[in-house]
Amino acid sequence: MQTLPDTLCYLNGEYLPLREAKVSVLDRGFIFGDGVYEVVPVYAQRLFRVDEHLARLGRSLAKLRIAAPHTDAQWLERCRKLVAALAVKTGAQDQLIYIEVTRGVALRDHVMPADIEPTVFMMATPMKPATAEQRHHGVACVTARDFRWERGDIKSVSLLGNVLARQMSADKGAVETILFRDGYLTEASASNVWVVHEGALLGPPKSEHVLEGIRYDLLRDLCEEAGIAYNLRPIPEADVLSADELLLSSATKEVLPVTTLDGQPVGHGALRGKPGPVYARLFEAYQQAKLTQSI
């Protein structure tokens, strides 16, 4: 049995050690996975693109018909307190804030109960970024059919499909499973996926099958600054397999090059199996964004 840390967390109006936090067995998040979550990256104790993360949290709550339990100012206040407490406790300057909101506690019934109080849980953890070796050499991924549910646009705590997909890559020593639905790219188990073709960055269009990653708009802006063409369009599996470069993006990965896919090197010519120039430009631009878009 894992020993949980005693770092500070927030649960339903109270700050307490993480190992002491408890929720009811009848919480609908436990019974049904009836809830949503958000993960906010923190650099040097400053929250990165927090407005965009809170806006997505609000969209997810609205899609599940859960009333927002806090204002943005209240979310921000709680985030800052947890960040400061973890920094004092562990010295961690770069962190992740995890926010979860479930519908709340009620007798088990599939119908959404009215007038119950949402459960709100928050914690800060040290960030585990990609390693220097991963950035230098790139990472390996595998592919699979996207067998998850039809509402990937909701950042739901119901993540069993994603867990199964991620385990497929873990079993093969890879870092991600890139998913295809009806022959077209959707996303990876815990990342968005980007294709570089003739110097342009391509991504799947926003839809109910793809979580609108915070880096969607960020990478659009970074491409504009760097003079890189950016386009969202349906991407056939063949275009992924023949890409000049493949990239992953997420809160923890930032932007990360994929250099091996299903055991085969990605790319062409001298750069085959190596991180490419578009990745290098976007990575540098991302580091600058962290300095200017964190509060």
Side-chain angles (χ1 to χ4, degrees), residues 139-144 165-180 187-189 258 260-263:
V139 298
C141 292
V142 300
T143 62
R166 177 64 185 94
Q167 191 61 44
M168 294 168 66
S169 52
D171 289 344
K172 296 184 178 180
V175 305
E176 260 292 18
T177 303
I178 294 176
L179 302 170
F180 297 91
E187 56 189 1
S189 65
V258 177
T260 303
L261 187 64
D262 290 335

Side-chain angles (χ1 to χ4, degrees), residues 150-154 186 204-212 216:
E150 297 281 343
R151 292 306 305 271
D153 58 312
I154 300 173
T186 52
K206 300 174 184 179
S207 73
E208 291 187 344
H209 295 153
V210 177
L211 179 68
E212 185 182 336
Y216 252 73

Side-chain angles (χ1 to χ4, degrees), residues 44-289:
Q45 295 192 54
R46 299 166 66 214
L47 285 79
F48 183 59
R49 291 179 72 88
V50 65
D51 290 344
E52 289 82 358
H53 280 282
L54 294 180
R56 185 172 65 180
L57 176 63
R59 292 193 297 271
S60 292
L61 288 168
K63 289 172 182 178
L64 290 191
R65 297 192 234 173
I66 298 175
H70 297 316
T71 65
D72 283 0
Q74 290 171 324
W75 285 123
L76 192 55
E77 176 188 3
R78 288 155 175 71
C79 286
R80 292 197 188 284
K81 183 164 184 175
L82 293 174
V83 167
L86 185 66
V88 169
K89 183 80 173 179
T90 68
Q93 299 295 300
D94 296 349
Q95 308 175 17
L96 295 173
I97 291 287
Y98 178 83
I99 302 171
E100 179 171 332
V101 182
T102 77
R103 196 174 305 278
V105 178
L107 293 176
R108 188 179 186 279
D109 189 334
H110 283 70
V111 176
M112 297 175 182
D115 302 323
I116 62 171
E117 192 77 17
T119 295
V120 180
F121 170 69
M122 303 172 65
M123 66 177 175
T125 57
M127 184 181 290
K128 296 179 180 178
T131 66
E133 181 178 0
Q134 288 176 321
R135 297 210 172 279
H136 181 72
H137 295 289
V139 298
C141 292
V142 300
T143 62
R145 176 181 61 85
D146 193 344
F147 49 81
R148 305 166 306 159
W149 72 319
E150 297 281 343
R151 292 306 305 271
D153 58 312
I154 300 173
K155 199 166 177 67
S156 165
V157 298
S158 306
L159 288 172
L160 184 57
N162 300 68
V163 168
L164 291 171
R166 177 64 185 94
Q167 191 61 44
M168 294 168 66
S169 52
D171 289 344
K172 296 184 178 180
V175 305
E176 260 292 18
T177 303
I178 294 176
L179 302 170
F180 297 91
R181 187 183 295 267
D182 299 326
Y184 287 87
L185 174 66
T186 52
E187 56 189 1
S189 65
S191 316
N192 288 119
V193 182
W194 304 88
V195 173
V196 177
H197 177 67
E198 295 183 350
L201 187 71
L202 308 177
K206 300 174 184 179
S207 73
E208 291 187 344
H209 295 153
V210 177
L211 179 68
E212 185 182 336
I214 300 302
R215 273 127 291 275
Y216 252 73
D217 290 343
L218 173 61
L219 287 180
R220 178 200 62 202
D221 296 344
L222 297 184
C223 282
E224 184 175 351
E225 294 172 10
I228 299 169
Y230 172 96
N231 188 27
L232 302 183
R233 65 164 174 81
I235 301 176
E237 184 171 357
D239 287 3
V240 176
L241 300 180
S242 63
D244 298 329
E245 300 178 44
L246 287 180
L247 309 177
L248 303 174
S249 66
S250 73
T252 53
K253 298 178 185 70
E254 298 179 359
V255 58
L256 190 63
V258 177
T259 50
T260 303
L261 187 64
D262 290 335
Q264 299 299 312
V266 173
H268 310 281
L271 289 175
R272 183 172 169 83
K274 300 178 181 179
V278 171
Y279 160 70
R281 291 159 67 190
L282 288 176
F283 174 73
E284 290 302 323
Y286 200 111
Q287 305 317 299
Q288 291 301 310

